[in-house]
Amino acid sequence: MPKPEPEPEFDATRLLSLAKARDTRRAYARSLAEKYQTAREERQDVTRRLALARQNADLHRHGFRAESDAQIALLEAQERELTSRLYEIQAEQDCIVGEASEAASLFKSCLDFAHGRGLPIPAQLVEQAKPRNFAPLGAVGGAA
Amino acid sequence: MIGGILKSLGKARTATAEGLDALDGLREAIAQKRMEITALHRAPLPIAAALARFDAWADQHATVAIDSLGIDRLLDPSAMRGIELPIGPISANAGPDTRPAVDALLGLVLLVARDQVRKTLAGQLSDLTAGKETLTDAERARLIGEVEAQLRQAEAMEETAVRSLEESGVAVSRRADADPSIVLATNSALARLAG
């Protein structure tokens, strides 16, 4: 009677979920960077409008005073809110960038392990698993 | 009906919180096991083993010292010089190399006063190891092996917890230094390791 095949110890398809975890975090880090950029531009705009409102308030010190004071207060509140939002995004960004880097490092060590053991690398990851060879300078364009 | 849904949502939330707590606990245990392994690597040798090292070192120095003196000259009837301390080649910048002579002197001191030096060292070593656990190489290897097995089991339990949380839709970050042989283990291999 033939001996049953030993059960496999490792499952290289698990690399897919590791790659997904890495990519999700990278994508989130990118979206946070965009969010930060947008909030920064918004704050720059509010700061510019605030400076303008203060200038105008100086110009008509007697008429429309109440209106311009209210506008300045509103813009100051907006500026504070945007500043605190920027800090929040930055803190979240620091956290997710760390997580993305950890996920990438774990994926790399697992990929190396899978290579070392000769495990079949999932087709979706074959491209990433290829060793990167850099052609020497001047070699691009093929042989003459 | 809404009450039932809310109840099961509450249950799911509690289960997730419990799973995350368990994961935290396992990660603390893993950190603890790693510290234990580091401490075992650093635990001092017993005084007897340290003195055996001293004996080997002293033997070597005494032998080298005698060999370096050129005692064969004492047997040579035509020899113009007696025995001498070895001096290394003279370099233009640094002068004569006195290191071989110092080594030879140390070897001679150990030859004549080895017991006194050994006794003094034994006392000092005893003070240095007071209150500390000392381990022979064999004990160290055995204990490290045991703790490494416990660490591997804790890591397998951690990976099991991570997979279980992932299956229930909770995204959990794995440690960057997680062991690939655990992370890539099949579910059945993982269950065997986790015990």
Side-chain angles (χ1 to χ4, degrees):
Chain A
M1 197 173 139
K3 235 176 146 182
E5 283 277 311
E7 220 178 319
E9 287 284 304
F10 303 110
D11 174 10
T13 61
R14 299 208 61 79
L15 284 168
L16 290 170
S17 69
L18 298 177
K20 192 179 162 199
R22 176 201 59 184
D23 295 344
T24 311
R25 282 163 179 81
R26 278 182 180 168
Y28 189 47
R30 268 196 297 274
S31 82
L32 280 178
E34 281 164 20
K35 219 166 143 185
Y36 184 86
Q37 184 61 23
T38 311
R40 211 168 70 114
E41 282 167 6
E42 266 180 57
R43 193 182 63 168
Q44 276 172 348
D45 183 48
V46 169
T47 308
R48 191 182 48 77
R49 280 162 49 209
L50 185 59
L52 205 64
R54 282 182 182 140
Q55 252 177 19
N56 288 341
D58 282 346
L59 285 178
H60 30 76
R61 216 167 293 148
H62 304 295
F64 310 112
R65 181 73 206 196
E67 251 179 65
S68 61
D69 280 355
Q71 196 197 0
I72 288 171
L74 184 71
L75 288 168
E76 280 174 344
Q78 280 180 1
E79 194 185 38
R80 274 197 302 275
E81 198 267 323
L82 283 165
T83 304
S84 98
R85 202 196 304 172
L86 280 173
Y87 280 126
E88 278 168 24
I89 298 172
Q90 208 165 23
E92 205 178 347
Q93 225 176 355
D94 288 347
C95 184
I96 198 70
V97 166
E99 279 187 21
S101 144
E102 287 194 356
S105 156
L106 179 63
F107 172 76
K108 173 80 176 58
S109 63
C110 287
L111 188 63
D112 291 347
F113 177 86
H115 265 305
R117 293 269 174 159
L119 302 177
I121 307 294
Q124 299 93 311
L125 299 174
V126 166
E127 208 45 47
Q128 293 180 44
K130 274 185 192 165
R132 293 185 185 184
N133 291 322
F134 294 98
L137 284 177
V140 180
Chain B
M1 187 180 164
I2 291 175
I5 294 171
L6 285 176
K7 211 173 168 184
S8 46
L9 265 178
K11 270 186 190 167
R13 217 174 282 150
T14 311
T16 303
E18 279 171 4
L20 289 170
D21 284 348
L23 189 60
D24 282 346
L26 284 166
R27 285 182 171 165
E28 271 172 35
I30 287 166
Q32 184 65 36
K33 292 290 160 205
R34 286 187 167 175
M35 282 197 293
E36 273 179 47
I37 291 171
T38 307
L40 286 170
H41 276 292
R42 288 182 185 162
L45 286 166
I47 294 174
L51 288 176
R53 281 177 152 192
F54 165 75
D55 286 337
W57 177 78
D59 282 347
Q60 196 208 349
H61 269 76
T63 307
V64 169
I66 294 298
D67 288 350
S68 68
L69 295 176
I71 55 168
D72 52 339
R73 278 201 294 270
L74 294 173
L75 300 169
D76 183 356
S78 61
M80 303 295 285
R81 293 177 295 143
I83 56 175
E84 286 175 350
L85 284 174
I87 300 287
I90 296 171
S91 93
N93 298 328
D97 179 8
T98 54
R99 180 67 195 253
V102 173
D103 282 346
L105 282 173
L106 175 64
L108 293 173
V109 168
L110 289 169
L111 203 61
V112 294
R114 177 160 162 171
D115 286 347
Q116 289 93 318
V117 175
R118 198 176 193 279
K119 207 172 155 190
T120 306
L121 284 184
Q124 294 291 314
L125 291 171
S126 172
D127 287 349
L128 282 173
T129 53
K132 290 182 185 164
E133 188 189 10
T134 60
L135 293 172
T136 63
D137 288 341
E139 286 167 340
R140 192 186 315 275
R142 181 180 57 78
L143 289 172
I144 288 175
E146 281 174 20
V147 181
E148 277 177 347
Q150 292 163 8
L151 172 66
R152 200 160 167 74
Q153 186 183 27
E155 286 181 327
M157 288 162 82
E158 178 201 23
E159 178 61 21
T160 307
V162 169
R163 287 184 194 179
S164 147
L165 283 162
E166 278 178 346
E167 275 162 23
S168 56
V170 182
V172 185
S173 292
R174 285 181 172 81
R175 287 178 295 112
D177 59 352
D179 184 342
S181 73
I182 300 271
V183 177
L184 294 183
T186 58
N187 284 338
S188 53
L190 202 59
R192 273 198 307 278
L193 287 169

